[in-house]
């Protein structure tokens, strides 16, 4: 959220960009509900790319997003705060985190990423599914190995980085799966 938005009630009368139907949208609706603010914040259905544009042109006051849109809005590049480093991120417009997805999960609305296939696909592509699940298991183990530790390198590996895609596990997941 922009400067001056310090608590959820400061969102009243503001415009918030969020991709409708996403886990972030689900959590925003929960936040508005628990603070009895439903209908008092204008929610705009924006893609991550549209969020970046709307943030930069000042047409939204707050966002609920992830990945490169989150990094951009927070003024981050490669997990580091930028200071006019010609990265394209204007730190004068950098946001602050109002409420994290982790906090909302603690309050009763966790979100998850789920991969599912039907039985026919699983049977027809057993080798691929086995490979896919093994890669997810390795990535999960890697994440859990450092969970809770103060390890910026591990956090950066798990944060998609548009400036340096090779530094993140996220793009490599797709590459690894396609090698099945």
């Amino acid at each position: 959220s922009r400067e001056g938005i310090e608590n959820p009630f400061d969102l009243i009368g503001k415009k918030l960009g969020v991709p409708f139907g996403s886990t972030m949208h689900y959590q925003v609706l929960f936040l508005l509900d628990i603070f009895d603010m439903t209908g008092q914040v204008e929610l705009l259905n924006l893609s991550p790319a549209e969020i970046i544009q709307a943030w930069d042109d000042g047409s939204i006051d707050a966002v609920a997003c992830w990945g490169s849109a989150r990094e951009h809005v927070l003024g981050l590049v490669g997990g580091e705060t930028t200071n006019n480093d010609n990265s394209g991120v204007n730190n004068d417009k950098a946001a602050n985190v109002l409420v994290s997805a982790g906090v909302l999960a603690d309050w009763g609305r966790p979100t998850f990423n789920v991969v599912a296939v039907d039985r026919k696909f699983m049977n027809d592509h057993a080798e691929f599914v086995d490979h896919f699940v093994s890669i997810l298991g390795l990535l999960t183990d890697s994440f859990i190995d450092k969970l809770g530790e103060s390890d910026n390198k591990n956090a950066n590996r798990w944060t998609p980085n548009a400036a340096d895609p090779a530094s993140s596990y996220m793009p490599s997941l797709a590459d690894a799966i396609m090698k099945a």
Side-chain angles (χ1 to χ4, degrees), residues 36-111:
D36 199 27
M37 299 179 349
T38 302
Q40 298 180 59
V41 178
E42 184 178 351
L43 300 181
L44 302 174
N45 183 16
L46 301 175
S47 71
E50 291 169 328
I51 284 173
I52 290 171
Q53 179 63 44
W55 184 261
D56 286 349
D57 70 23
S59 60
I60 57 176
D61 305 297
V63 302
C65 59
W66 62 90
S68 59
R70 180 182 184 277
E71 286 185 359
H72 182 86
V73 168
L74 291 175
L76 302 175
V77 175
E80 302 293 329
T81 302
T82 61
N83 291 312
N84 299 322
D85 62 356
N86 298 320
S87 66
V89 177
N90 181 348
N91 235 11
D92 296 335
K93 295 182 181 179
N96 60 298
V97 175
L98 183 61
V99 180
S100 71
V103 168
L104 291 171
D106 289 344
W107 290 351
R109 289 290 160 87
T111 56

Side-chain angles (χ1 to χ4, degrees), residues 131 174-180:
H131 182 71
D175 293 338
I177 290 169
M178 296 313 294
K179 292 178 184 173

